[in-house]
Amino acid sequence: EADIYQTPRYLVIGTGKKITLECSQTMGHDKMYWYQQDPGMELHLIHYSYGVNSTEKGDLSSESTVSRIRTEHFPLTLESARPSHTSQYLCASSLNVGTGNTEAFFGQGTRLTVV
Amino acid sequence: AQSVTQLDSHVSVSEGTPVLLRCNYSSSYSPSLFWYVQHPNKGLQLLLKYTSAATLVKGINGFEAEFKKSETSFHLTKPSAHMSDAAEYFCVVSSSGSARQLTFGSGTQLTVLP
């Protein structure tokens, strides 16, 4: 069992609200990722982090922001939610590049609906 | 640069018949390759991985994949499909020279017919 957790699992929220999606891992992994996935579609990387105080934007432009103040925690924030943000958000972590090409461990995902 | 192409967006098989999900990759560095499975409303689960050891890799639930460098392929197979195998499958490449490290294919939806 992978030790990576996302909360909440499901969230329905009104337009304009600020939301934070939580992601925590207890494996001591350096690298963490956020992916966005629409139903039946591929995953798109929106943010990643090499470690504490390191964050980078991914391949898909996103209005969300992330922070990495602690190794185990990688929250994603939307300052003002819009219906176009409705999607599933998947968090993942992996050992750092220097330790070889290890697999990523995924959380259960947060399904966000903005109404 | 690295990329992954999953050649079929949908595959349908009858229960008890073989499964073949195709994946081709490109990578400038020695890659590691993975197959993940995603059941409806669930997170991604690792099926198997290739990391430069044996080219034939066995995973969970009877799945296996063969790394063929000459064909730049990493196809996923299973001798006999089960209803519970119905899910979305993602092929993933990871290269040590890639900053983002993980590149996902577009996914293959496997349907298993009774």
Side-chain angles (χ1 to χ4, degrees):
Chain A
E1 286 290 323
D3 296 318
I4 179 164
Y5 307 101
Q6 289 184 244
T7 57
R9 288 290 310 278
Y10 302 93
L11 178 62
V12 180
I13 200 165
T15 298
K17 299 291 186 183
K18 177 180 178 179
I19 58 170
T20 295
L21 308 185
E22 303 288 350
C23 177
S24 296
Q25 51 95 3
T26 58
M27 298 172 281
H29 287 169
D30 291 318
K31 294 200 77 172
M32 296 189 74
Y33 315 79
W34 275 103
Y35 291 88
Q36 184 174 340
Q37 183 186 31
D38 291 324
M41 303 294 284
E42 62 198 280
L43 280 73
H44 294 284
L45 181 68
I46 52 175
H47 298 283
Y48 64 102
S49 167
Y50 287 114
V52 172
N53 294 325
S54 151
T55 61
E56 302 285 346
K57 289 193 177 295
D59 302 316
L60 181 68
S61 176
S62 174
E63 293 166 341
S64 58
T65 59
V66 292
S67 62
R68 191 87 183 277
I69 298 171
R70 303 199 315 266
T71 297
E72 62 271 22
H73 197 212
F74 191 41
L76 180 145
T77 298
L78 277 165
E79 290 292 333
S80 179
R82 294 208 301 268
S84 60
H85 297 140
T86 295
S87 189
Q88 175 162 246
Y89 294 84
L90 291 165
C91 180
S93 71
S94 67
L95 288 171
N96 208 6
V97 172
T99 57
N101 299 331
T102 62
E103 69 269 28
F105 295 89
F106 283 83
Q108 293 277 63
T110 294
R111 189 169 295 280
L112 172 67
T113 302
V114 183
V115 298
Chain B
Q2 59 188 27
S3 66
V4 178
T5 301
Q6 289 184 242
L7 299 165
D8 307 293
S9 58
H10 292 87
V11 171
S12 289
V13 300
S14 297
E15 190 174 21
T17 64
V19 176
L20 170 64
L21 305 183
R22 297 183 294 165
C23 173
N24 286 105
Y25 71 92
S26 68
S27 174
S28 303
Y29 301 88
S30 298
S32 291
L33 292 152
F34 312 89
W35 276 99
Y36 284 85
V37 60
Q38 186 179 35
H39 288 94
N41 300 314
K42 296 285 182 66
L44 278 84
Q45 180 184 18
L46 180 69
L47 272 180
L48 49 81
K49 62 181 179 181
Y50 164 78
T51 55
S52 74
T55 56
L56 182 62
V57 181
K58 293 187 183 301
I60 62 172
N61 301 335
F63 284 94
E64 60 182 41
E66 186 171 7
F67 173 72
K68 292 186 176 180
K69 187 175 181 179
S70 60
E71 299 177 10
T72 60
S73 69
F74 191 58
H75 301 334
L76 181 70
T77 61
K78 183 174 180 177
S80 176
H82 192 272
M83 296 298 289
S84 61
D85 294 328
E88 184 93 15
Y89 291 79
F90 293 94
C91 183
V92 182
V93 63
S94 171
S95 300
S96 58
S98 168
R100 292 181 175 82
Q101 193 169 5
L102 297 174
T103 299
F104 279 76
S106 55
T108 298
Q109 181 67 47
L110 175 66
T111 300
V112 181
L113 305 171

